[in-house]
Each structure stands twice: as C-alpha cells, then as structure tokens.
Amino acid sequence: MKRSIALALACLACLATAPAPARADAGALALTAPSAVLMEKSTGTVLYQQDAHTQYEPASVTKVMTLLLVMEAIEAGALSWDEMVTASAHACSMGGSQIWLKENEQMSVADMVKAVAVASANDCAVALAEHIAGSEDAFVQRMNQRAQELGMEHTSFLNCTGLPAQGHVSCAYDIALMSRQLILYHPAIRAFTTIWMDSLRDGQFQLTNTNRLIFYYEGATGLKTGSTDTALYCLSATAERDGMELIAVVMHAPTSDDRFDSARTLLNYGFANYALTPVYPDQAIPPVPVLLGQADTVQPMLARDCVLLLGKADGGTVTTEVTLADQVEAPVEAGQKLGQMTVYVDGVEADVVDLVAPAAVERLTVGSIFRELLDGLFLRAS
C-alpha cells in the first residue's frame, strides 16, 4: 500500500524551459563564428546552438578528450599525479605548441597536464598518450571509443593533439559533450585550466594560458583553445556563476578575437537568461516503519540532489509530491528505495527523485525477539 503526501514548495520566480531549436538556430545572437553551442553542465541542456553538428577541424580543442582520458586513468588508479613520464623521440617531434621536451626528458604527470591545459603542449599530450596506452595510435583508438560512448556521432580523431590530419574532425555539439564529461566528473582539472601564468622546470620555463577568458571573463574556469590554418580559431570555454557552469563551444571563427567574443556572447546570454534552482520538500519527510527490524523506523532521504534549470524571464510554480511505502520489512539495505519525490513546474512533471534508506536496518533475530517479549512481560508485571 502507498500513501501520498503532497508537499507544496514556495512559489519560485523561475520556470523550467526547454530551449526551442528553431530559436537557437535563428541567429538571434551576434556570433561571428559560424558554428556554436551553449550547454549547461549539470543537466546537459543545450541553451543555444548554431550550425552545431557541422564537422570542422577541432585543432587543439582535441586535447579535451586527451585530458579526459588522462583524468579517467588517474581516477581509475592506473596513473598518479607524481608519476614520471619519459618523453619519446616521437613526442618531441610534434612541433606546433610545445614546451620543447628533449628525448628521454622526464616530467611528472601533473606538470605535463599543466603544460597541456595551459600552453596546449603537443609534445606533452603525446608523451602522456604513449605513457597511458603504449603508443599514440593505441591512445587514439581509446579516444574514438570514448567518443562513441559519449554519443559524439560527428567526431573522428586521428591524433591526440589536433594537429592537421585529413579526416580529423568534430562538431560543436560533440565538443560540448566531451567538455561536459571532463568538467562534471573530473573537477580537479580546474586546478590547471584556471591557471593564467605559471612555470615549469623549476621556474625556468614560463607558461601563459592560451585562453584569454581566464584573465578577463568573470567566473571563467577553462577550458581549451585551438587554431590551425585550416581549422581557423576554435574554443571550448567554461565559466561558472551562482553555482551554474556553462560550456560555450565556438568553431571555425575567422580570428582569435572572434572566437573569444563569440564565446563571451554565448556565456553572457546563458547567465542572463537561466539559473539553477535546487528543489527540496518544504516539510520533513516522515519516517517509514520497519517490520521485524532492529530499528523501528527508517528515515528516507533524497537519492540525489534535485536541481532545475529555469528560465529567468518566465514566472511559474514548482511543487513536489512525495510518495512513500506504508512500511517495509527488515532487512533494509542502505540505498533501498522507499518512495519517490516527483517535481512539477506549473503542474508539468519535471523530475523524479528516489527516496532511499540512508543506512541498513538489520532484521531481528529469534533471540532478540524473545528478549523483547520477555522485556514486555516484565514491564507489564511491574
């Protein structure tokens, strides 16, 4: 049996909105870049798009995927920050943006990630790739596999640097997908992507971030620039304000200034028009009785945070409805579903969050049941 408890939340000054693709492609924003996407990090919602699925060369924005695989290797324990990486002749031969590694020079993973994130170092990107996968080709196979897993349908990687190669292509939407994966699940990368100036080799080699937004855009958190003669100017820019982080991807901009101006326009649009609003029940959720449990009740909790992406210009009402089981029988496992909270915006369902047990409740043993009976008898006798 179920019981429903309607828990009304206070009226909020926002309404959840799904950006219309027609509006996103209508050219409402003054962008000089032909291809662009604006995505909100936590929900993955596309807030604006313009020619988002056309393939272009991504140049060094490719390194977002390289950094993602490095971070995933660290998270998996297959790589550590202080591990030393030895530069191969192949890595040192890359050209383009680099820190001029010498063959057999050793540098820590942390320093190489810094060089890639701040200075777009091709030599360090290849050295990391070889260290993780044994060769750049093997690493590129992993890049393409990960791209498929993320739904990057218009992307084909041929190297880990973004140096020109026929058939090495991506699109603004795909770049937003991999950028979101990196910043959402590996926030430690921000320690590198927010660096404006730093150094390597005991201060003897100076680094300056290729992403000028880090210097002058409020809340900028990253992420990666790219440019070649054929790719023109590309950028995956991330910024956070009031707890909301946005991803602005720009491809094939005619000049460096154009890519930064276009990214700034996208970010300004997002911050001006949208906000993240956390949703909670406005009353305490009652405990659920436990039959034959070592505890009489279990207190439900939200299985995850509930946050709505809401349009600032629209007014509406957010309400919740909590549904709980009348009772559960022990044993109760930690994380066991006890009910759910359904979230509505102006009466339209916007989210459903499970309510779960925060800790296990063990079942009473025969001995403990017998002791409880005896305790009850003694209490009645007294």
Side-chain angles (χ1 to χ4, degrees), residues 241-261:
R241 294 181 187 174
D242 299 323
M244 181 174 72
E245 191 164 13
L246 300 179
I247 303 160
V249 179
V250 172
M251 299 194 75
H252 213 64
T255 70
S256 180
D257 286 345
D258 284 328
R259 68 175 164 186
F260 292 121
D261 289 344

Side-chain angles (χ1 to χ4, degrees), residues 169-249:
V169 293
S170 188
C171 70
Y173 178 73
D174 285 3
I175 289 172
L177 288 179
M178 68 177 179
S179 299
R180 176 178 183 258
Q181 189 74 16
L182 177 59
I183 65 174
L184 178 61
Y185 296 106
H186 307 282
I189 196 64
R190 187 186 286 195
F192 301 96
T193 58
T194 55
I195 293 171
W196 173 238
M197 298 185 72
D198 207 329
S199 62
L200 293 170
R201 300 186 178 107
D202 296 323
Q204 297 184 21
F205 190 91
Q206 300 301 309
L207 301 174
T208 301
N209 204 317
T210 57
N211 180 6
R212 297 207 308 258
L213 295 180
I214 296 298
F215 180 71
Y216 70 78
Y217 190 81
E218 179 188 352
T221 58
L223 185 63
K224 193 69 198 72
T225 60
S227 65
T228 66
D229 290 343
T230 49
L232 301 185
Y233 293 89
C234 310
L235 174 64
S236 178
T238 57
E240 183 175 14
R241 294 181 187 174
D242 299 323
M244 181 174 72
E245 191 164 13
L246 300 179
I247 303 160
V249 179

Side-chain angles (χ1 to χ4, degrees), residues 373-382:
L373 290 173
L374 288 178
D375 290 342
L377 289 173
F378 282 126
L379 285 173
R380 284 196 293 271
S382 61

Side-chain angles (χ1 to χ4, degrees), residues 150-162:
L150 294 176
M152 298 169 61
E153 297 179 354
H154 297 87
T155 296
S156 175
F157 294 120
L158 297 180
N159 57 57
C160 68
T161 59

Side-chain angles (χ1 to χ4, degrees), residues 327-352:
Q327 60 187 15
V328 291
E329 184 175 333
V332 177
E333 297 180 0
Q336 181 176 322
K337 183 177 178 179
L338 303 173
Q340 64 184 33
M341 180 181 75
T342 305
V343 182
Y344 301 92
V345 179
D346 278 354
V348 178
E349 184 177 307
D351 199 2
V352 178

Side-chain angles (χ1 to χ4, degrees), residues 19 24 38-40 45-49 244 246 269-270 274 309:
L38 179 66
M39 180 181 286
E40 191 279 317
T45 303
V46 173
L47 305 179
Y48 193 90
Q49 59 181 320
M244 181 174 72
L246 300 179
Y269 168 79
Y274 295 91
L309 179 66

